[in-house]
């Protein structure tokens, strides 16, 4: 089959790889009909290169049609249309019983000191082949896949794999009521969905992003958006000098700003693999501009909800400020399955109330994925979200 494979820093290629097969009786094989490029995939494109091996198949936002099921799979049938959560969880352990699927004790990577395995996301998270491919093997197929109907196009459902529940969890962690004010740092795909979900709840939204087209899109959905240079003063002025009641940080380790951190990231990712892993695991290499903005601008006694991905272990944190302001901080990989019952009815509401079908700015054949990664990383051509279609062929 054809799949997008990693070959080096900023070097991904579509190549022929072996078809996936049933390995355990709880597996299923799906034919992929849509696979999105996530902002987290861009971390693999550059920063987290030391945790990848040449030929690794990327991608963790995937949906398709069930082609084959293992002997012990009872919930899925061949022909079912399914969305695949990016977290691989057993559904039966201590953590899964508490709906903390991202901490599943069966797929947890104890040798790496990390949580549940993820599709297409480095040796830190199980080195499981991803879904930017024509087919995907899905472990624990009676637990993860979300069966959806045939009445809507893929893009109505696709984002249930990651970014929609990630946005929902970030908003849940912010714990705001109607009439309160939410700041959103980063108006990429997750930030856009946070805006839309918050507006449904009657929450006032103040957002920031360096890209004018992303600010404009957020404002179309009711947010007030600021350029990054004006964000702190703008959000404070809009809240009587106090700051938002909670702030969602939806950027992560590659935030704009701090050229010193940027240079350190570039250097670390290019070291020999063993040294590079040590630099990432024991050095504060993340670009913390977005997180520092969130901590700075949130009101005293407020909440910072972090959905952006971070990799550094020794990142310097302003603990004095956080303690003095009495902040609550919540964060973590999304427990996708926990939120599906809340989200699926919204997704299927008449009229596409979250604008899911129009969120993608680029829809391309799988073969065009290498160029799409470059465009997305550089934020060129107004790129906000890319959806890959394995069944399409290049023009």
């Amino acid at each position: 089959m054809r799949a997008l494979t990693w070959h080096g820093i900023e070097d991904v290629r579509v190549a022929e790889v072996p078809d996936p097969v049933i390995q355990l009786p709880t597996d299923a094989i799906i034919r992929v009909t849509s696979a999105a490029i996530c902002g987290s995939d861009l971390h693999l494109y550059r920063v987290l290169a030391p945790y990848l091996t040449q030929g690794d198949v990327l991608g963790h936002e995937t949906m398709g049609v069930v082609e084959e099921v293992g002997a012990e799979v009872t919930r899925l049938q061949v022909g079912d249309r399914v969305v695949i959560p990016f977290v691989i969880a057993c559904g039966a352990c201590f953590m899964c019983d508490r709906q903390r699927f991202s901490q599943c004790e069966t797929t947890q990577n104890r040798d790496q000191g990390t949580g549940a395995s993820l599709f297409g996301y480095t040796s830190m998270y199980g080195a499981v082949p991803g879904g930017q491919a024509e087919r995907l093997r899905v472990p624990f197929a009676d637990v993860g896949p979300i069966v959806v109907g045939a009445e809507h196009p893929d893009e109505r459902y696709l984002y249930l794999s990651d970014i929609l529940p990630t946005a929902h969890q970030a908003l849940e962690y912010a714990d705001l009521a109607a009439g309160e004010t939410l700041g959103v740092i980063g108006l990429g795909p997750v930030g856009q969905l946070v805006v839309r979900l918050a507006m449904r709840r009657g929450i006032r939204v103040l957002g920031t992003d360096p890209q004018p087209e992303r600010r404009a899109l957020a404002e179309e959905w009711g947010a007030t958006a600021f350029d990054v240079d004006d964000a702190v003063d703008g959000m404070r002025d809009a809240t009587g000098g106090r700051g938002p009641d909670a702030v969602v940080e939806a950027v992560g380790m590659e935030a704009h700003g701090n050229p010193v951190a940027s240079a350190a990231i570039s250097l670390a990712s290019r070291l020999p693999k063993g040294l590079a892993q040590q630099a990432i695991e024991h050095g504060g290499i993340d670009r913390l501009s977005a997180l520092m903005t969130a901590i700075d601008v949130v009101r005293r006694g407020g909440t910072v909800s972090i959905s952006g991905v971070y990799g550094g272990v020794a990142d310097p944190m302003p603990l004095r400020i956080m303690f003095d302001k009495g902040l609550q901080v919540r964060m973590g990989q999304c427990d996708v399955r926990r939120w599906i019952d809340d989200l699926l009815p919204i997704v299927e509401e008449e009229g596409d109330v979250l604008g899911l079908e129009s969120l993608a700015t680029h829809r391309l054949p799988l073969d065009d994925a290498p160029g799409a990664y470059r465009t997305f990383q550089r934020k060129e051509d107004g790129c906000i979200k890319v959806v890959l279609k394995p069944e399409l062929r290049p023009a």
Side-chain angles (χ1 to χ4, degrees), residues 18 20 43 60 65 76 128 148 175 257 310 325 350 355 374-375:
H43 304 322
H60 62 268
V65 177
L76 294 186
V128 181
V148 299
D175 193 23
Y310 287 91
K325 292 184 74 170
E350 190 70 29
R374 286 192 297 273
T375 298

Side-chain angles (χ1 to χ4, degrees), residues 118-177:
L118 312 177
F119 286 105
Y121 215 79
T122 81
S123 60
M124 284 196 293
Y125 289 98
V128 181
Q132 290 169 0
E134 292 183 304
R135 285 174 178 77
L136 176 69
R137 169 183 167 256
V138 182
F140 299 105
D142 271 342
V143 178
I146 304 154
V147 179
V148 299
E151 61 271 28
H152 298 297
D154 274 12
E155 285 170 50
R156 183 73 76 93
Y157 295 110
L158 175 61
Y159 307 129
L160 288 167
S161 61
D162 179 357
I163 61 171
L164 183 56
T166 293
H168 179 80
Q169 179 171 293
L171 190 56
E172 288 291 305
Y173 283 4
D175 193 23
L176 296 183

